[in-house]
Amino acid sequence: DWYAAVFLSADEEPAVVFFIPALSVDEMKDAIDESFYFTSKDDIGIYSENEEAIDEVQAHLDDRTSESIGSVASEQIKQMMMASHISVAVNLVSVKETYSAELAEAREEMMEGIREGLEDAPEVPGVKLDWLPALMEGLADKVTIAVEDAQAYVVALTLAKSGVRLEEYLEFADSSRSAAFLAKYPAGDVKVMSKLPARQLGYGSVSKSLGKLTAWGMSLVPKIVELEEEQAAEWEKAEKSLAQIDFGASAQSFALGNLDSGLIRAVAVAQVSPADKFRSTLENVSAAMNGVEFPGMTQEMEYTKDHAEIDGTPVDLIVTRQQMDEGEQFGGLQEQINQVMYGGDGMEA
């Protein structure tokens, strides 16, 4: 196995040290370029163009009390590195300590950029944006917390006869806020994946409930879109109904159709209970979104309950259409996009 270690410095370029096994470390020393500084340990040749980095490695080898990466890295990280063909591990604690000033400055620049971008954003008729600053600053705070809590990052590539496996792993401190949040959502089986059709272009799944995320997304709609009184009432019903639904795992797939009847063919399967409550929630959503006006277009949503029956199971139909305003450049472009994506009859679900 070949290894390379990167030593960081706030004031200088990072130094790279190579750890390469050799049949003869003496012959390796004679063979490498004179620009490299060299040392060795057993049958491992160690060299770098940075003398201070080699001195640091040598001091570590000479000090029996010095901790190695193997003694401080987690079992998950060591397992990923040892079981892969190519891997890169980043000590994020060292990165944050070395570049603390730059990271603090980057956060301030990010926040300032968000504020300036929102201040310069043009007004869009029918769309409210006054909620956005608080949301963006909240997201920036969450990102900051994740950066503060992160300890290590690993990406590993493994080659096999049947394919290539690429894994990524971001590790947080055990007692951190990020670790506590992730502990609430352990991975589980996604049996609903087996209900998706075969020979699709892509598949995806979520093993845990998206109920809270869905509820949060729905809470944003009245803040973004100007709803009429009746539409707002229907949306409020949908939000209250959603709170009474238990969501489980979900899975999605997609395939390509054709330009005449619609390019996108997507399938989504989710565990929801009770199903009747979920159906009534979709009916409320359709009623609330029917007639909503956006720049250059008006949206129509039609919900048909018990549209068909398949193997004894009632099937509802939701059709979404977007009526474009004449003479509106945006509307004309959107109409062409909708024709390509969904076909002339609108988006059917």
Side-chain angles (χ1 to χ4, degrees):
D1 294 337
W2 292 24
Y3 295 92
V6 180
F7 291 77
L8 302 179
S9 172
D11 304 320
E12 299 177 1
E13 290 292 323
V16 181
V17 181
F18 298 95
F19 300 76
I20 310 298
L23 296 176
S24 169
V25 292
D26 291 332
E27 291 182 8
M28 176 184 282
K29 181 178 180 180
D30 294 337
I32 65 171
D33 191 86
E34 293 181 354
S35 62
F36 287 92
Y37 298 91
F38 187 91
T39 187
S40 62
K41 173 67 174 178
D42 299 329
D43 61 346
I44 303 295
I46 307 168
Y47 55 92
S48 172
E49 291 183 307
N50 188 293
E51 184 177 14
E52 292 182 0
I54 288 293
D55 291 341
E56 187 172 345
V57 171
Q58 188 62 60
H60 164 72
L61 295 174
D62 295 338
D63 185 357
R64 293 182 176 273
T65 64
S66 179
E67 292 182 313
S68 68
I69 183 175
S71 65
V72 297
S74 69
E75 290 301 320
Q76 175 71 22
I77 291 176
K78 288 188 286 188
Q79 181 180 356
M80 287 184 65
M81 296 188 70
M82 294 298 103
S84 62
H85 287 95
I86 302 174
S87 62
V88 177
V90 182
N91 181 348
L92 296 178
V93 175
S94 176
V95 173
K96 290 183 290 185
E97 289 177 350
T98 304
Y99 302 112
S100 58
E102 288 83 352
L103 289 172
E105 184 179 350
R107 183 185 186 281
E108 289 302 319
E109 290 179 353
M110 177 180 66
M111 296 300 297
E112 184 62 29
I114 290 174
R115 297 188 191 101
E116 291 180 357
L118 293 173
E119 290 175 359
D120 297 338
E123 291 188 7
V124 180
V127 178
K128 299 177 289 185
L129 298 175
D130 53 345
W131 56 275
L132 198 53
L135 174 65
M136 296 302 295
E137 292 193 11
L139 290 175
D141 287 337
K142 298 297 184 184
V143 171
T144 300
I145 290 174
V147 171
E148 292 174 351
D149 294 344
Q151 287 189 320
Y153 168 76
V154 181
V155 57
L157 177 70
T158 306
L159 306 178
K161 292 181 179 179
S162 58
V164 178
R165 184 174 72 244
L166 181 65
E167 295 180 281
E168 292 182 279
Y169 177 66
L170 180 61
E171 186 172 82
F172 297 99
D174 289 339
S175 58
S176 66
R177 293 159 292 182
S178 300
F181 172 79
L182 293 175
K184 299 177 182 178
Y185 304 96
D189 292 332
V190 189
K191 296 180 180 179
V192 293
M193 178 76 81
S194 63
K195 298 182 180 296
L196 294 173
R199 293 179 289 276
Q200 301 283 283
L201 284 180
Y203 295 87
S205 64
V206 178
S207 65
K208 291 300 177 182
S209 170
L210 292 178
K212 291 184 178 180
L213 181 61
T214 303
W216 175 75
M218 289 188 65
S219 70
L220 291 179
V221 171
K223 299 177 182 178
I224 301 172
V225 182
E226 294 181 356
L227 301 176
E228 300 292 341
E229 185 175 345
E230 291 184 5
Q231 293 171 329
E234 290 292 339
W235 193 262
E236 186 177 353
K237 289 180 185 178
E239 288 193 82
K240 291 180 179 179
S241 180
L242 184 73
Q244 303 173 34
I245 299 173
D246 291 327
F247 287 83
S250 60
Q252 309 80 34
S253 68
F254 75 94
L256 296 181
N258 55 67
L259 297 180
D260 294 327
S261 60
L263 192 61
I264 298 300
R265 293 288 181 265
V267 179
V269 181
Q271 296 171 326
V272 295
S273 179
D276 288 342
K277 179 67 68 173
F278 181 69
R279 294 171 69 190
S280 64
T281 301
L282 292 179
E283 190 171 7
N284 295 139
V285 169
S286 299
M289 291 291 99
N290 185 39
V292 171
E293 296 182 356
F294 297 96
M297 66 180 180
T298 301
Q299 178 172 276
E300 297 178 356
M301 287 191 73
E302 180 182 348
Y303 185 92
T304 305
K305 193 171 184 178
D306 298 328
H307 169 77
E309 186 175 296
I310 300 177
D311 294 336
T313 300
V315 177
D316 302 342
L317 175 66
I318 303 175
V319 179
T320 304
R321 300 184 182 91
Q322 294 174 336
Q323 299 296 332
M324 308 305 165
D325 298 342
E326 294 184 4
E328 291 283 351
Q329 182 178 3
F330 171 79
L333 175 61
Q334 187 63 41
E335 186 173 12
Q336 295 177 39
I337 294 175
N338 290 347
Q339 173 66 41
V340 171
M341 298 289 282
Y342 312 119
D345 295 331
M347 183 173 63
E348 297 182 351

Short mmCIF file of all heavy atoms in Angstrom, two decimals, residues 107 111 114-115 118-119 128-143 216 220 223:
data_model
loop_
_atom_site.label_atom_id
_atom_site.label_comp_id
_atom_site.label_asym_id
_atom_site.label_seq_id
_atom_site.Cartn_x
_atom_site.Cartn_y
_atom_site.Cartn_z
N ARG A 107 -17.17 32.86 6.50
CA ARG A 107 -18.55 32.88 6.99
C ARG A 107 -19.13 34.28 6.92
O ARG A 107 -20.27 34.49 6.50
CB ARG A 107 -18.61 32.36 8.43
CG ARG A 107 -20.04 32.29 8.97
CD ARG A 107 -20.09 31.89 10.43
NE ARG A 107 -21.46 31.71 10.86
CZ ARG A 107 -22.31 32.69 11.16
NH1 ARG A 107 -21.91 33.95 11.04
NH2 ARG A 107 -23.56 32.43 11.55
N MET A 111 -22.38 35.46 4.69
CA MET A 111 -23.55 36.13 5.23
C MET A 111 -23.77 37.48 4.55
O MET A 111 -24.90 37.85 4.23
CB MET A 111 -23.38 36.32 6.74
CG MET A 111 -23.31 35.02 7.53
SD MET A 111 -24.78 34.00 7.35
CE MET A 111 -26.02 35.08 8.05
N ILE A 114 -25.21 36.94 1.12
CA ILE A 114 -26.63 36.60 1.18
C ILE A 114 -27.47 37.85 1.36
O ILE A 114 -28.47 38.06 0.67
CB ILE A 114 -26.89 35.60 2.33
CG1 ILE A 114 -26.29 34.23 1.99
CG2 ILE A 114 -28.39 35.46 2.60
CD1 ILE A 114 -26.36 33.24 3.12
N ARG A 115 -27.04 38.72 2.28
CA ARG A 115 -27.81 39.95 2.54
C ARG A 115 -27.84 40.84 1.29
O ARG A 115 -28.90 41.37 0.92
CB ARG A 115 -27.19 40.70 3.71
CG ARG A 115 -27.22 39.93 5.04
CD ARG A 115 -26.76 40.81 6.19
NE ARG A 115 -26.56 40.03 7.40
CZ ARG A 115 -25.37 39.63 7.83
NH1 ARG A 115 -24.27 39.95 7.14
NH2 ARG A 115 -25.25 38.92 8.94
N LEU A 118 -30.10 39.37 -1.46
CA LEU A 118 -31.53 39.51 -1.19
C LEU A 118 -31.98 40.95 -1.35
O LEU A 118 -33.10 41.22 -1.80
CB LEU A 118 -31.83 39.01 0.23
CG LEU A 118 -31.63 37.50 0.45
CD1 LEU A 118 -31.80 37.16 1.92
CD2 LEU A 118 -32.60 36.71 -0.41
N GLU A 119 -31.13 41.90 -0.97
CA GLU A 119 -31.48 43.31 -1.13
C GLU A 119 -31.59 43.70 -2.59
O GLU A 119 -32.44 44.52 -2.96
CB GLU A 119 -30.43 44.18 -0.43
CG GLU A 119 -30.47 44.08 1.09
CD GLU A 119 -29.33 44.86 1.73
OE1 GLU A 119 -28.52 45.44 0.98
OE2 GLU A 119 -29.25 44.89 2.97
N LYS A 128 -43.91 36.45 -2.80
CA LYS A 128 -43.40 37.19 -1.64
C LYS A 128 -42.03 36.65 -1.24
O LYS A 128 -41.82 35.44 -1.19
CB LYS A 128 -44.39 37.05 -0.48
CG LYS A 128 -45.77 37.62 -0.77
CD LYS A 128 -46.73 37.41 0.38
CE LYS A 128 -47.13 35.95 0.52
NZ LYS A 128 -48.15 35.75 1.58
N LEU A 129 -41.11 37.56 -0.96
CA LEU A 129 -39.75 37.16 -0.62
C LEU A 129 -39.30 37.67 0.74
O LEU A 129 -38.13 37.50 1.10
CB LEU A 129 -38.77 37.65 -1.71
CG LEU A 129 -38.97 37.09 -3.12
CD1 LEU A 129 -38.01 37.75 -4.09
CD2 LEU A 129 -38.79 35.58 -3.13
N ASP A 130 -40.20 38.28 1.51
CA ASP A 130 -39.78 38.87 2.78
C ASP A 130 -39.37 37.82 3.82
O ASP A 130 -38.70 38.13 4.79
CB ASP A 130 -40.88 39.76 3.35
CG ASP A 130 -42.21 39.03 3.45
OD1 ASP A 130 -42.34 37.97 2.85
OD2 ASP A 130 -43.11 39.55 4.15
N TRP A 131 -39.75 36.57 3.61
CA TRP A 131 -39.40 35.49 4.52
C TRP A 131 -38.00 34.93 4.26
O TRP A 131 -37.43 34.22 5.09
CB TRP A 131 -40.39 34.32 4.33
CG TRP A 131 -40.44 33.86 2.91
CD1 TRP A 131 -41.18 34.37 1.89
CD2 TRP A 131 -39.65 32.81 2.34
NE1 TRP A 131 -40.92 33.72 0.71
CE2 TRP A 131 -39.99 32.75 0.96
CE3 TRP A 131 -38.72 31.91 2.84
CZ2 TRP A 131 -39.42 31.83 0.10
CZ3 TRP A 131 -38.15 30.99 1.97
CH2 TRP A 131 -38.50 30.97 0.63
N LEU A 132 -37.45 35.24 3.08
CA LEU A 132 -36.23 34.60 2.64
C LEU A 132 -34.99 34.97 3.46
O LEU A 132 -34.16 34.09 3.73
CB LEU A 132 -36.00 34.92 1.16
CG LEU A 132 -35.02 34.03 0.40
CD1 LEU A 132 -35.39 32.56 0.55
CD2 LEU A 132 -34.99 34.41 -1.08
N PRO A 133 -34.79 36.23 3.87
CA PRO A 133 -33.57 36.54 4.63
C PRO A 133 -33.41 35.69 5.88
O PRO A 133 -32.32 35.17 6.16
CB PRO A 133 -33.76 38.03 4.97
CG PRO A 133 -34.64 38.56 3.89
CD PRO A 133 -35.57 37.45 3.56
N ALA A 134 -34.50 35.56 6.67
CA ALA A 134 -34.40 34.76 7.90
C ALA A 134 -34.09 33.31 7.58
O ALA A 134 -33.30 32.66 8.30
CB ALA A 134 -35.71 34.86 8.69
N LEU A 135 -34.68 32.78 6.50
CA LEU A 135 -34.42 31.39 6.12
C LEU A 135 -32.96 31.19 5.72
O LEU A 135 -32.30 30.24 6.17
CB LEU A 135 -35.33 30.99 4.96
CG LEU A 135 -35.06 29.60 4.37
CD1 LEU A 135 -35.35 28.51 5.39
CD2 LEU A 135 -35.88 29.38 3.11
N MET A 136 -32.43 32.09 4.89
CA MET A 136 -31.06 31.94 4.42
C MET A 136 -30.05 32.08 5.56
O MET A 136 -29.07 31.34 5.63
CB MET A 136 -30.77 32.99 3.34
CG MET A 136 -31.60 32.81 2.07
SD MET A 136 -31.37 31.20 1.30
CE MET A 136 -29.64 31.31 0.82
N GLU A 137 -30.31 33.00 6.46
CA GLU A 137 -29.41 33.16 7.61
C GLU A 137 -29.50 31.94 8.53
O GLU A 137 -28.50 31.51 9.10
CB GLU A 137 -29.75 34.44 8.37
CG GLU A 137 -29.43 35.71 7.58
CD GLU A 137 -29.45 36.96 8.44
OE1 GLU A 137 -29.52 36.82 9.68
OE2 GLU A 137 -29.39 38.06 7.88
N GLY A 138 -30.71 31.38 8.65
CA GLY A 138 -30.85 30.17 9.44
C GLY A 138 -30.10 29.00 8.83
O GLY A 138 -29.43 28.23 9.55
N LEU A 139 -30.17 28.85 7.52
CA LEU A 139 -29.43 27.79 6.83
C LEU A 139 -27.93 27.99 6.97
O LEU A 139 -27.17 27.03 7.15
CB LEU A 139 -29.82 27.76 5.35
CG LEU A 139 -31.24 27.26 5.04
CD1 LEU A 139 -31.52 27.39 3.54
CD2 LEU A 139 -31.43 25.82 5.48
N ALA A 140 -27.50 29.25 6.89
CA ALA A 140 -26.06 29.54 7.05
C ALA A 140 -25.60 29.16 8.45
O ALA A 140 -24.50 28.64 8.63
CB ALA A 140 -25.80 31.02 6.79
N ASP A 141 -26.45 29.40 9.45
CA ASP A 141 -26.11 29.01 10.82
C ASP A 141 -25.99 27.50 10.94
O ASP A 141 -25.10 26.98 11.64
CB ASP A 141 -27.16 29.53 11.80
CG ASP A 141 -27.07 31.04 12.00
OD1 ASP A 141 -25.98 31.61 11.75
OD2 ASP A 141 -28.08 31.65 12.40
N LYS A 142 -26.89 26.76 10.27
CA LYS A 142 -26.84 25.29 10.31
C LYS A 142 -25.55 24.78 9.67
O LYS A 142 -24.92 23.84 10.17
CB LYS A 142 -28.05 24.70 9.60
CG LYS A 142 -29.39 25.05 10.22
CD LYS A 142 -29.53 24.52 11.63
CE LYS A 142 -30.92 24.80 12.18
NZ LYS A 142 -31.06 24.37 13.59
N VAL A 143 -25.18 25.40 8.55
CA VAL A 143 -23.93 25.01 7.89
C VAL A 143 -22.74 25.28 8.80
O VAL A 143 -21.81 24.46 8.90
CB VAL A 143 -23.77 25.77 6.56
CG1 VAL A 143 -22.38 25.54 5.97
CG2 VAL A 143 -24.84 25.34 5.56
N TRP A 216 -42.64 21.24 6.76
CA TRP A 216 -41.89 22.51 6.69
C TRP A 216 -42.03 23.13 5.31
O TRP A 216 -42.26 24.33 5.18
CB TRP A 216 -40.42 22.24 7.00
CG TRP A 216 -39.55 23.45 6.83
CD1 TRP A 216 -39.45 24.53 7.66
CD2 TRP A 216 -38.66 23.71 5.73
NE1 TRP A 216 -38.55 25.44 7.16
CE2 TRP A 216 -38.05 24.97 5.97
CE3 TRP A 216 -38.32 23.01 4.58
CZ2 TRP A 216 -37.12 25.52 5.10
CZ3 TRP A 216 -37.39 23.55 3.71
CH2 TRP A 216 -36.81 24.80 3.98
N LEU A 220 -44.06 26.90 4.04
CA LEU A 220 -43.46 28.01 3.30
C LEU A 220 -44.35 28.55 2.20
O LEU A 220 -44.23 29.72 1.82
CB LEU A 220 -42.12 27.58 2.69
CG LEU A 220 -40.96 27.29 3.63
CD1 LEU A 220 -39.74 26.85 2.84
CD2 LEU A 220 -40.63 28.51 4.48
N LYS A 223 -46.18 31.71 2.62
CA LYS A 223 -45.23 32.82 2.77
C LYS A 223 -44.70 33.27 1.42
O LYS A 223 -44.24 34.41 1.28
CB LYS A 223 -44.07 32.40 3.66
CG LYS A 223 -44.47 32.01 5.08
CD LYS A 223 -43.26 31.54 5.86
CE LYS A 223 -43.64 31.09 7.27
NZ LYS A 223 -42.47 30.59 8.03
#
